[in-house]
Amino acid sequence: MTLPLAKPALLRNQCLIDGKWVGTPAGVVSNPANGAELSRVPEFGAKETEEAILAAERAFKPWAKKQAKERAAVLRRWFELIMANQEDLARIMTAEQGKPLAEARGEVAYAASFVEFYAEEAKRIYGETVPSPFPHSKIIVQKQAIGVCAAITPWNFPAAMITRKCAPGLAVGCTFVVKPAPDTPLTALALGLLAEEAGMPPGVLNIVTGDAVAIGKVMTEHPAVRLIGFTGSTGVGKLLMRQAASTVKKVALELGGNAPFIVFDDADLDAAVAGAVIAKFRNMGQTCVCTNRLFVQAGIHDRFVEAFAKAVAAMKVGPGDAEGVVQGPLINANALAKVERHVEDARARGARVITGGARHSLGGTFYTPTVLTGVNTEMALSQEETFGPVAAVYKFETEEEVLRLANSTPFGLAAYFYTKDLARAFRVADELESGMVGVNSAILGNEVAPFGGVKESGLGREGGRHGIEEFVELKYVLMGGLN
């Protein structure tokens, strides 16, 4: 399938290892909107992954020894090239992932923002001096790049999850091997081409596609790799932690969520409805910070449900590149099956469908945006991420009750709530067991703040000055004999 790209070379069908495009195209990449084949990419395994790791190991010291200003200049050029090719990258993303073109454009800009931010931060990797307890000496604490890093990225944000992981590490002097999701490798390969054009030296950024089990095993067990960065399910994150333990690697994990969205009686109804639509249905509900449970206080519940269901029913569903579409297809048949299972389980346990509740007439993996009420904590969608366009609304009476419900999960990535009460805003934000909390706001992600969760939602942070700390080691130097 040919995409209408201003720069056709961005559509790659080979992997990037040590500055060379290699491999035989084999694995099919399809458009989830219609099932059409977009391209093919190599099906690499252990051998090629080790080659990529060794290339990154060779490139590490020369890259780390460059002046921070030099690395910053390369990242700045990469940022500029990403933005110059925003439309093409968005079209590739929509074709392989399904999200509406407007969202894809937004993700490209979001992805580029991390490259820009960390290009600026490259020159601000500060150490410190500590008063020495010994005579005639000084203590210096330095920050040094951790080394070769492996990044395993998901299909729901195929550009941003790469730059959010790689940009801070590249800024401090790390080198990378990236394994994109098999559903969405084309965006990653296009970013690799632009990094090459920006002047990234061979081996600094490598991208491999193929056998997830074989590639992941080499990444987690190879002694040259010092950090594993992963965004995905909690189950896979736990597996990677176990495998990485064999060589005591650092792990940076952004895992599953079960985000609550709380609407108190005193909330601005219109703002809460608009926020709920964004928090639930962005990317067809396929984001780790999507709300999975909407808790609405009894006094506002019925009015909220009526206005929310009306807004949801009005959303246009269709292929992501069609005019006016705000809801595209789900990524694949497994995602569709999970959504159907959750809705049917909820219905069987007494939930009521206000709008939606079935596959869309377009067929394929399209599903009608859905609102359910009468939901309870025994239903599957209360315990698991639905990862689809299904909004489950619960009614609650008191603040104490909703905090107990919101926190009654092993996950703690994101949480949202709407209120006009300033005291309640601080009180509830403190009590929610989440790494990120949106108060009267449904959008959390940006390049300047630390993104990440608590409990089983992950380890470490991405974004902001905090995100760069994942990629450095502290070295303590005692300078003696200074008398």
Side-chain angles (χ1 to χ4, degrees):
M1 181 177 179
T2 302
L3 291 176
L5 303 179
K7 185 172 182 172
L10 285 171
L11 196 60
R12 313 300 294 178
N13 61 5
Q14 290 183 298
C15 293
L16 180 61
I17 297 179
D18 203 15
K20 301 179 182 67
W21 292 94
V22 296
T24 302
V28 175
V29 183
S30 300
N31 185 332
N34 54 26
E37 180 177 323
L38 288 169
S39 184
R40 296 184 180 228
V41 296
E43 293 187 332
F44 280 168
K47 175 178 175 292
E48 296 85 358
T49 305
E50 183 170 9
E51 290 173 359
I53 290 170
L54 293 175
E57 185 179 30
R58 289 190 298 272
F60 168 60
K61 284 192 176 179
W63 177 247
K65 286 182 178 179
K66 284 184 181 293
Q67 290 188 345
K69 189 174 182 179
E70 293 179 86
R71 293 194 300 271
V74 174
L75 288 172
R76 180 72 200 185
R77 287 194 294 271
W78 193 24
F79 159 73
E80 290 167 352
L81 285 169
I82 292 171
M83 290 309 298
N85 291 276
Q86 181 182 17
E87 186 66 19
D88 278 356
L89 290 170
R91 289 191 176 278
I92 291 171
M93 189 187 305
T94 291
E96 66 174 345
Q97 200 274 338
K99 67 178 61 178
L101 197 53
E103 280 194 38
R105 292 187 188 108
E107 185 187 335
V108 173
Y110 178 52
S113 73
F114 290 101
V115 181
E116 181 185 36
F117 180 83
Y118 288 112
E120 297 161 350
E121 288 295 293
K123 295 175 282 187
R124 291 189 277 273
I125 314 301
Y126 301 139
E128 57 186 306
T129 59
V130 179
S132 175
F134 309 115
H136 313 303
S137 65
K138 288 186 180 295
I139 290 175
I140 299 170
V141 181
Q142 300 174 334
K143 292 181 179 179
Q144 296 183 331
I146 196 169
V148 176
C149 303
I152 302 173
T153 59
W155 49 262
N156 56 345
F157 288 93
M161 295 305 95
I162 290 176
T163 59
R164 199 166 75 183
K165 285 174 171 52
C166 294
L170 292 168
V172 301
C174 296
T175 55
F176 279 82
V177 179
V178 177
K179 185 216 162 292
D183 289 302
T184 57
L186 303 179
T187 302
L189 296 172
L191 288 173
L193 178 69
L194 295 178
E196 190 178 42
E197 292 181 358
M200 203 82 74
V204 171
L205 179 64
N206 306 273
I207 303 172
V208 295
T209 61
D211 185 335
V213 174
I215 293 172
K217 191 170 189 297
V218 175
M219 285 179 163
T220 53
E221 295 180 358
H222 199 290
V225 176
R226 299 313 312 150
L227 178 143
I228 299 288
F230 171 72
T231 295
S233 72
T234 296
V236 174
K238 290 177 179 179
L239 172 64
L240 293 172
M241 285 184 75
R242 288 193 292 269
Q243 292 179 339
S246 65
T247 48
V248 196
K249 299 187 196 312
K250 190 173 186 179
V251 291
L253 306 173
E254 196 251 291
L255 306 177
N258 194 356
F261 187 104
I262 304 168
V263 183
F264 289 101
D265 282 346
D266 63 352
D268 181 322
L269 178 62
D270 292 339
V273 168
V277 170
I278 294 169
K280 173 68 257 184
F281 293 99
R282 185 165 63 103
N283 198 15
M284 295 76 72
Q286 300 174 123
T287 89
C288 53
V289 294
C290 268
T291 178
N292 204 53
R293 301 168 295 156
L294 280 82
F295 299 101
V296 184
Q297 201 160 14
I300 202 173
H301 176 274
D302 292 350
R303 286 185 293 136
F304 176 89
V305 169
E306 181 182 2
F308 181 53
K310 183 178 179 181
V312 171
M315 291 193 292
K316 184 176 179 179
V317 179
D321 57 356
E323 187 70 29
V325 164
V326 294
Q327 291 286 285
L330 293 169
I331 187 66
N332 54 37
N334 288 337
L336 176 65
K338 185 177 186 181
V339 168
E340 290 188 306
R341 176 170 61 82
H342 277 193
V343 171
E344 289 311 308
D345 173 78
R347 274 177 160 160
R349 295 173 185 269
R352 186 162 67 97
V353 176
I354 304 301
T355 186
R359 293 190 184 196
H360 197 274
S361 59
L362 288 169
T365 60
F366 288 96
Y367 195 85
T368 307
T370 298
V371 176
L372 304 174
T373 59
V375 180
N376 62 56
T377 57
E378 302 302 314
M379 298 172 184
L381 50 67
S382 297
Q383 309 299 324
E384 308 168 14
E385 272 188 300
T386 301
F387 234 61
V390 178
V393 183
Y394 307 68
K395 184 187 290 188
F396 74 93
E397 298 289 341
T398 67
E399 182 180 310
E400 293 74 20
E401 175 193 4
V402 77
L403 283 170
R404 177 179 55 79
L405 291 168
N407 291 334
S408 62
T409 169
F411 304 103
L413 186 59
Y416 311 86
F417 68 93
Y418 278 69
T419 181
K420 291 180 182 177
D421 184 327
L422 184 61
R424 170 180 275 160
F426 281 103
R427 187 169 63 242
V428 173
D430 284 346
E431 292 298 322
L432 285 169
E433 296 171 357
S434 293
M436 301 174 288
V437 179
V439 184
N440 297 323
S441 177
I443 298 176
L444 289 167
N446 60 73
E447 75 276 19
V448 302
F451 190 105
V454 299
K455 300 195 287 189
E456 293 191 19
S457 286
L459 297 170
R461 294 295 184 268
E462 296 178 342
R465 64 176 180 82
H466 311 84
I468 217 160
E469 300 299 325
E470 303 295 328
F471 298 94
V472 295
E473 296 276 28
L474 296 180
K475 178 176 282 187
Y476 151 45
V477 180
L478 176 65
M479 303 291 294
L482 300 180
N483 54 312

